[in-house]
Amino acid sequence: MLRFMDWSVVAMGCLLVLMSLGSRWWERTQVRKGKSPDQGMRVFRTWFPLLLGLGLIIARVPGLLLAPHSVIMVMDTLNGVLSVTALILVLRAVHRASRARSPRTLD
C-alpha cells in the first residue's frame, strides 16, 4: 500500500509538470493572438507548479527505483535547492504584487 502511495506522489508531480507546460503553451498561444502576457502571475501559473512537480518527482523516484544512497542524497540536495528557489520566486512575486497594489504617495 505504501508503494502505491509513493507512486501516486510521483504521478501527482508529473501532473504538476504537465500542467505547468500546458500553462506555458496556453500563454504562448494567447500572445500570438495579440494579448499581453501577465508577467506577475507567470510564477504561480508556470514556474511554481513546475518546481513543485519536479520536487515531488525527485523526492520519490530514486527510492522507488532502489538507487544507491549517494544518488538519493544528491537528489535530496537538489530537492532542497528547488524548494528554496520556489520559495524565493513566490516571495518576489508576492512582494511585486503587493507593491503594485499599494497606493503611491508623492512627497
Side-chain angles (χ1 to χ4, degrees):
M1 182 68 178
L2 288 177
R3 209 149 168 83
F4 170 75
M5 291 172 63
D6 286 342
W7 280 110
S8 66
V9 170
V10 172
M12 186 170 45
C14 291
L15 286 175
L16 282 169
V17 169
L18 289 174
M19 182 183 78
S20 172
L21 294 175
S23 174
R24 180 73 177 132
W25 174 79
W26 178 259
E27 181 181 331
R28 288 180 67 148
T29 59
Q30 294 299 317
V31 168
R32 280 190 210 128
K33 291 180 181 178
K35 292 185 179 178
S36 173
D38 186 9
Q39 297 292 333
M41 290 302 293
R42 177 179 285 173
V43 170
F44 296 111
R45 234 187 358 249
T46 305
W47 289 107
F48 187 64
L50 178 68
L51 293 174
L52 187 64
L54 287 176
L56 288 173
I57 293 168
I58 289 173
R60 294 292 179 200
V61 168
L64 289 170
L65 298 179
L66 304 174
H69 183 69
S70 58
V71 172
I72 292 175
M73 292 303 293
V74 168
M75 291 300 154
D76 284 345
T77 304
L78 184 60
N79 194 12
V81 170
L82 284 174
S83 300
V84 170
T85 303
L87 179 66
I88 289 171
L89 285 174
V90 168
L91 289 176
R92 283 181 57 196
V94 167
H95 177 68
R96 264 193 230 135
S98 67
R99 201 173 70 194
R101 287 185 192 149
S102 66
R104 297 178 191 235
T105 59
L106 297 174
D107 293 328

